[in-house]
Amino acid sequence: MSTSTGEQTESEQVSSDSVIDLFKRWYHVPGVGLIMAFMLWVRLQPLDNFIRNGEVFYAGNDAWYHLRQTSYTVRHWPTTMPYDVYSEFPTGVRADQFGTLFDQLVATGALIVGLGDPSQHTIAMSLLVAPAVFGMLVAIPTYFIGRRLAGRFAGVTAALVLALLPGVFLRRSTAGFSDHHVAEVLFQAITVLGIMVALRSAEREKPIYELVADRDWDAMRTPGKWAALAGISAGLYMWVWPPAVVLLGILGVFFAIALSIEYFAGRSPDHLAFTGIVVGVAAGFTVLLSIDEFGLAVTSLSFLQVGLGLGLAAGCAFMAWLARVWDSTDTDLLRNASLGAFGLLFLGIILGAVADLPFLGLPFALVLVFGGLFGAVAYMRDEKAEKKAYYPVAISSILVAGLTVLKLALPDAFGILIRNVNRTIAFAQSDTTLTIGEAQAVVGAGEPFIQTMTQFMGAQYGLTYVVAAAAFLWLGWDLYSSDEYRAEYLFVLVWAVFMFLMAMTQVRFNYYFVVTVAVLNGYFIGRVVQVVGLPEISTDISYSDIKPYQVMSIVAVVMLVVMPLTPVLAMTSTTVDAQADSMGPGSVMLWDNSTDWMEKNTPEPGQYGGASNELPYYATYENQDDFAYPNGAYGVMSWWDYGHWITVKGERIPVANPFQHNAREASDYLLAQNETHANLLLEALPNIREADKPVDQLSNEDLQRLVDQQNDQQAGEDTRYVMIDYQMATSKFGAIATWTGPNPQTYYTNKQVNINNSSVVLPGMSEQYEKTMLSRLYYDDAKGLEHYRLVHENPSRVGIASVAVNREGQWRAAAVNRAFNVQQLLQYQFSPQVQVYDTQIESAVKTYERVPGATIAGQADVSSATNVTARVELSSQTTNRTFNYTQTVQTDGQGNFELTVPYATDDAMSVEEGTSDPTVEATGEYTITVAGSNETGTVAVPESAIMTEDGEPITVDLSASGGNTNSSISTDANATDSESSADDDKPRLVQSDSGTVARAA
């Protein structure tokens, strides 16, 4: 009995020891696994927010285009769409940046889930959850980077910090934000890890030139393998996002510094140069396998990525060769050459500052660092050290010379380089780039840098950014003071600097910086573990080796970093679970009704006006500069933000899109001060690229010349619809005006507002704003315009108003021309401290059809030029409102007149016949009135007449009505169409018996 018990106890002890040993050896696996499961759970929290009545929606704009690309790739696997004729009318567009490895991976997942034949819903769901899966996977390379820096515990901590951080990365890796950004983060992290492994392998194996010359492949196999894998990973990273070529630039800076340090330290730089050469060549050839464009393009896989990859390799080879030459060169010759080069560097920088050539300032930091190093060593008069110091001076001199030659020999390539440096790391985006929300700088112009930066970083990263800064300094000290120099530490430092610069230059790049912050936090805690003497958990550790103070120190540091971010203990609502759960589709829900109407109630592209051509939605169209659209194809004008929604949800062709293509044309159209200019611009779009001036500088005569020069095919490429929403008329108007001007402030003015029977001067929209096509279409329902008929109103309503607040007896504007919830506006009206003025209630989205219009002709019995007005009452089915369309012209001296009107008084034509099925229809015939006369007449206008170019005029007979039926209309013969537009149906806020807000005439 006792023997049996003893055997059982011994067995249990063996089993217990085995479990403990397994935990010591593998604790990081379940640890990281649980972290990844938590990340996936958090990122799937808002899933139900994006599924409405069985239909899948997405956040933002670009996700919708990824749906198009993924759907195409499923049908044409594994290729992505080379050219899209359903965007950027009337040319079509290359969409390489939005048809990449990300879409191929999602499409492959959909094919697997759908067993080779996924439904469109399965494709949409695969894209919906893809960001959460990619985001979860980022934890793996984050763990391994942290582990390489400071051990397994550091790696687990890095993954944990990544999982708990709110902010940009969380939003872009949550279900519904189905953009390629999270895939960028994953592949960059994998590439950074690969380069670290390759650098360490090279330091161990020491591949040098002699091994290459002797073809000793066995000696180079291991470092060559890791470097090749890192290069392939860099190439795949560029497959996900072609502008990821910036990583090659970061590697160029790193290798320039690393090779200089190796040579200065008295070591051969061959092994690091070998790594750079293999990485560059592998990256370049990986891109070459999937090259999209045979030119120099940043947003396409082009010779730019291939060239920079091979350039990285050539630069590393050159530096290694120069180091060998340096050793055999006379010191006096090097001293004289370096002094001359150093002098030329400073002279170049001075001349660059005087001549406003900022490109010469790029190597300024290198000049200071290497120049100071050169001066210090030269002062010591140590000939050997002095000779080494000349090497980095030569490298920086060659860099400046190379940039100068590039600017002179290839100015276009140099321009691409500088523009992308400015917009990526140099805080120098253009005004138009700044109209893109995600491209905003963290610190705007005129803002205090430190204060604004720390506020932003605190909101994004909590205390982890402070720990990351401390870890950065600690890692730098370890690199400098350690007996074993590790180039991968230097690479992490260089990478961290560039990620910080990118994160400050564009807000969106914080999705990259989050990995850097997580890794540095892991390093910090890992080093604390080592400093306090706590041994790394392994099979050799005994619990008796662990002291209480060691555990308490680590717990205190971990709590300082992690606890403020945890959902249970955090003091704010910005934790990962709360932020993720708040995600939703946003404005696309308002547009859903409008794009759905457009898909079902407008002719398919190729069939407008009765044409019978086809433009298949998922067909393959070869890359080209300008697609020749068939007769009956047409464009839809709107602001660029909405282009992808029109393409994907409406299955129609927008003129402008979120690639910012045709944004300038859209801006010029929306800001046009008269209908003539707006229409000429649309008609000139097919060949507007042939103009010798920017679009916003083209006069009506310039546009007419372009129209006259068109061939028959170009003349048939018409823009037939205009879609305007409340944001374009309010919050986005400043961005629209920025593209073509004048300055957005010119559209505002001071006006007299009556408050409590007193006149108060407050800001409002100016007459220049009210004359824009945007305002006349959105607020005025196109009154007075000849060729635009309102065909659909979104049933969702928004209140638009200006709001003033009484502060210490002074009325000050709190908002001008901004959208509000209508109930909120109603509450404002009953607050004595708040004054609402310029109030209107409008449909969220209005859709217009641009038609030839019908001509109404007649003769009035007058002896001089007089205004004649046509009026028709219209009824909107979707918003249950009636309103009037009016058009006023002037007779000639004999009383003859012609009016062009866009509305039909019947609904005789169908979509199959090539026109819209509008939800806004006339309730009766047109009434024609003559100013200052009792002559009136009525006339019917068939739909066929408004759809016919150069149709015969419809004659109206006027007769005396026994009284002046139009006394409210001005008799001024010089009245403009806007002045003659009756204001009797402008909306105002009223409260019905039921307590709801209604629109009243």
Side-chain angles (χ1 to χ4, degrees), residues 160-178:
L160 180 60
V161 171
L162 178 74
L164 293 176
L165 281 175
V168 175
F169 173 69
L170 174 64
R171 289 196 296 274
R172 292 168 191 264
S173 61
T174 299
F177 203 103
S178 300

Side-chain angles (χ1 to χ4, degrees), residues 977-999:
D977 53 4
S978 62
E979 291 171 334
S980 65
S981 298
D983 198 32
D984 58 349
D985 53 2
K986 280 289 185 179
R988 64 177 184 270
L989 287 176
V990 298
Q991 189 168 20
S992 67
D993 293 338
S994 62
T996 60
V997 175
R999 181 190 182 103

Side-chain angles (χ1 to χ4, degrees), residues 419 422-423 427-436 439 664 738-739:
R419 281 195 302 274
N422 285 339
R423 68 185 299 178
F427 308 90
Q429 304 97 314
S430 65
D431 289 341
T432 52
T433 299
L434 290 174
T435 64
I436 306 170
R664 202 170 298 278
T738 298
W739 278 84

